[in-house]
Amino acid sequence: MSYSAPPGSPLDRITDAFSITADKFESIVQGFKAECDHGLRTASATGLASMIPSFVTRMPTGQETGTCLSLDLGGSNLRVSLVQLLGQGKSRVTEVRREITPEWKTSSVDTFFDRITEAIHELIGGMGNQASEANAATSRQRRRRRPMPMGVCWSFPLNQTGISRGTILRMGKGFAVDSIEGQDLANLFHKAFKRRKLNVVVTALLNDTVGTLVAHAYGHPGTCMGFIYGTGVNAAYPEKVSRIAKLKNIQQQWPGKGDDAHRIMLVNTEIDIFGSESYLPLTRFDKLLDAQHPQPAFQIYEKMMSGAYLGELVRLIMIELAKEHQMIFGGRVPATFLEPWTLSTEFMSDFVRLSTNEERLENFRNIVHAKGEATTDDANYVSLQDMERIVEICHLVSSRAAALAAAAMAAIIEHQGLTDEENQSKPIVIGVNGSTYEKYPGMPDMIYAQLRSWFGEEVATSRIKLALAKDGGSVGGALIAMLYSSDRRLDTITPDKVDFL
């Protein structure tokens, strides 16, 4: 049985406000394209910069083989991976994970990197000892041992001036490592490797979005975009070097520098900081969410569509419909959801995935009880009709999110000229990583539907390929490390030919 709101009802008006019409979509696409152009023309890469050069000018063919390390350090976890590239776009990953403790976040700089190298040692120690035993026969073999290349995905501000060179800026996210600011990241790693006697060299520093693009390109040559859509949002794509003004102020002769008019470099858009009220259709709920956020007027695009915020938008709509219009919960709001940020995108996903309103009602009441509503009677005012309305709210919020993600993709596709006549035979392959894309019911289909509506059936069907892309921080990091190793014979490197220790 359906309980859809009558035309002209408060929910109907909210639905209209969240609807991304063709005109709104076009305005967003044009706004994003203008911001791409502006970011490319901006000379500085410091502060809240967008269109940041990655110094990655090489892409995999899918046939690379060998073994490299990758390291992915985020706000909560460290992941170290040993990646064996098997060719034909295939790989095998072995990894060690560590939770970043408060003590680790506030340690001295040497202790901080020593803890990281402990995890690296744990991962490769046994294999390294085996390799040493296998290769210890002659001094000639020992001279042939080569350091293991490592790519580092560093999820913190970095003033990067080369593929493996970058000065650490203020880290944030609760990190207060003593004396770390202003130091070269690769140098700190190399000093820690020396203390630990690890035969490892950092050959690449990268952003997770760039890693996603490269990792997807390994199995899908010609990938034109890496897109992160999870708790946050970001995108990377190949750009002509000649268009990147930030490079003009960096005296960096990266390998293979030639005709910049035709060479490309992967660019980290930092699209999460794009957007303004001049073209983003903010609703009163977006403005209310922004006002209660610790960083108001920042990342307003991301706040409209990423996994960190969709649940809060649903909660704000529920409260207005209950308190001001008595359309749900009999005019009451469960105490569970009175506080900001108490309704998550995970709740939305689980709620929508259930097949009947009866199941949703049982689930909702269980949540209410578990979080403090005292008795069964306290939750009895929640009805089947309320469940139908909440599904509608989740749909209007998630469908707008899909449209906003698609608008960013469309802008970057057009910015690259992929719809121009000379490029009409090229596939448009987009690798997407992130929990919102992967786990929210129907999200890939909703995004693709928006792209189909914008570009037309023929282009969407024959050229646009959206696919889940994983292992950006591991496979992507290892690939970039390999592509930029000084030893170009990396296709011969296997674990038994590397002296890790």
Side-chain angles (χ1 to χ4, degrees):
M1 182 176 181
S2 175
Y3 299 94
S4 297
S9 70
L11 181 54
D12 197 52
R13 292 193 294 272
I14 293 171
T15 300
D16 288 342
F18 272 79
S19 175
I20 303 295
T21 63
D23 288 344
K24 289 179 182 177
F25 194 93
E26 181 177 10
S27 179
I28 297 166
V29 170
Q30 297 307 322
F32 279 178
K33 288 166 65 177
E35 294 214 38
C36 285
D37 289 336
H38 175 75
L40 288 173
R41 292 194 304 268
T42 302
S44 174
T46 59
L48 294 176
S50 64
M51 310 304 282
I52 299 171
S54 70
F55 298 90
V56 177
T57 58
R58 302 168 183 166
M59 290 289 280
T61 65
Q63 300 309 312
E64 290 81 2
T65 59
T67 304
C68 286
L69 286 167
S70 64
L71 185 147
D72 188 356
L73 182 70
S76 302
N77 295 284
L78 166 71
R79 180 175 62 158
V80 183
S81 304
L82 182 73
V83 181
Q84 293 178 269
L85 301 168
L86 307 175
Q88 298 184 332
K90 306 295 183 182
S91 61
R92 182 182 299 118
V93 180
T94 306
E95 65 180 38
V96 167
R97 291 176 181 259
R98 288 282 184 276
E99 182 182 353
I100 309 295
T101 63
E103 293 77 18
W104 196 350
K105 291 183 177 183
T106 56
S107 62
S108 69
V109 65
D110 284 352
T111 300
F112 184 81
F113 282 90
D114 285 344
R115 293 286 298 277
I116 293 175
T117 57
E118 285 175 12
I120 298 172
H121 183 274
E122 178 181 332
L123 177 66
I124 66 177
M127 185 175 294
N129 288 329
Q130 293 171 13
S132 294
E133 293 168 6
N135 291 319
T138 67
S139 59
R140 179 182 176 184
Q141 286 176 313
R142 182 170 295 279
R143 286 196 299 271
R144 289 170 57 190
R145 291 177 186 153
R146 303 187 285 276
M148 174 62 71
M150 184 172 80
V152 176
C153 184
W154 184 260
S155 302
F156 303 93
L158 191 72
N159 183 20
Q160 192 166 353
T161 55
I163 187 63
S164 62
R165 302 255 68 93
T167 302
I168 300 172
L169 305 176
R170 185 175 181 180
M171 293 179 68
K173 300 180 183 179
F175 285 76
V177 180
D178 184 47
S179 303
I180 197 171
E181 289 183 45
Q183 297 210 51
D184 184 273
L185 178 58
N187 285 345
L188 291 175
F189 271 110
H190 293 151
K191 290 176 182 177
F193 295 156
K194 187 175 181 179
R195 291 193 295 271
R196 191 76 186 189
K197 295 182 172 59
L198 289 176
N199 193 17
V200 177
V201 59
V202 174
T203 59
L205 306 176
L206 64 140
N207 163 272
D208 61 345
T209 316
V210 170
T212 294
L213 196 167
V214 172
H216 198 65
Y218 184 54
H220 304 82
T223 298
C224 68
M225 191 188 314
F227 199 88
I228 302 292
Y229 189 22
T231 305
V233 61
N234 200 4
Y237 74 99
E239 179 59 86
K240 292 179 180 177
V241 168
S242 59
R243 298 182 66 184
I244 307 174
K246 295 176 179 67
L247 295 176
K248 293 180 172 63
N249 294 330
I250 299 174
Q251 302 302 313
Q252 174 71 28
Q253 300 296 317
W254 53 84
K257 186 174 181 181
D259 182 2
D260 286 352
H262 297 96
R263 294 183 69 247
I264 62 98
M265 178 181 288
L266 302 187
V267 166
N268 164 26
T269 64
E270 291 293 350
I271 206 165
D272 57 309
I273 63 174
F274 280 27
S276 72
E277 290 193 56
S278 64
Y279 64 84
L280 288 179
L282 295 169
T283 69
R284 62 184 178 276
F285 302 101
D286 298 306
K287 294 175 181 178
L288 183 57
L289 182 152
D290 184 61
Q292 70 186 22
H293 193 273
Q295 292 181 297
F298 177 59
Q299 296 178 313
I300 59 174
Y301 166 64
E302 183 171 281
K303 287 172 182 170
M304 295 174 72
M305 52 79 71
S306 82
Y309 303 106
L310 298 183
E312 178 63 8
L313 288 170
V314 169
R315 189 191 72 87
L316 291 171
I317 295 170
M318 284 169 42
I319 287 176
E320 179 176 304
L321 290 178
K323 286 188 171 182
E324 297 185 20
H325 306 291
Q326 291 75 50
M327 282 194 67
I328 57 174
F329 308 142
R332 300 171 58 182
V333 178
T336 304
F337 300 117
L338 285 174
E339 292 297 319
W341 316 109
T342 50
L343 196 153
S344 67
T345 303
E346 182 180 7
F347 166 86
M348 289 174 61
S349 178
D350 293 342
F351 187 84
V352 171
R353 190 175 286 110
L354 293 172
S355 57
T356 68
N357 286 329
E358 286 77 11
E359 290 177 292
R360 296 182 182 113
L361 181 59
E362 181 180 3
N363 178 261
F364 193 92
R365 285 175 171 168
N366 288 338
I367 292 172
V368 168
H369 288 311
K371 293 191 176 183
E373 295 281 359
T375 68
T376 302
D377 290 340
D378 290 328
N380 279 341
Y381 59 84
V382 180
S383 68
L384 288 173
Q385 182 175 350
D386 294 335
M387 300 303 100
E388 184 74 18
R389 297 274 165 80
I390 294 173
V391 169
E392 290 184 55
I393 296 167
C394 290
H395 179 69
L396 67 91
V397 170
S398 62
S399 60
R400 186 189 70 163
L404 291 169
M409 294 178 185
I412 295 172
I413 289 170
E414 293 188 1
H415 175 79
Q416 293 182 75
L418 294 176
T419 56
D420 295 347
E421 186 173 351
E422 63 268 25
N423 292 320
Q424 286 185 359
S425 63
K426 294 181 179 179
I428 301 172
V429 181
I430 304 172
V432 189
N433 185 26
S435 56
T436 304
Y437 179 82
E438 181 179 3
K439 296 181 179 180
Y440 194 90
M443 184 59 73
D445 291 338
M446 289 191 288
I447 294 174
Y448 184 77
Q450 291 287 340
L451 293 172
R452 184 173 62 241
S453 177
W454 178 251
F455 289 111
E457 188 71 33
E458 182 178 352
V459 171
T461 302
S462 63
R463 297 182 61 198
I464 296 177
K465 307 297 179 186
L466 282 178
L468 182 64
K470 292 189 174 182
D471 300 321
S474 55
V475 175
L479 275 163
I480 298 172
M482 173 177 283
L483 292 169
Y484 282 89
S485 172
S486 60
D487 190 335
R488 299 301 293 154
R489 296 173 295 162
L490 278 168
D491 60 339
T492 67
I493 291 184
T494 55
D496 64 320
K497 294 183 179 179
V498 177
D499 185 13
F500 297 96
L501 303 175

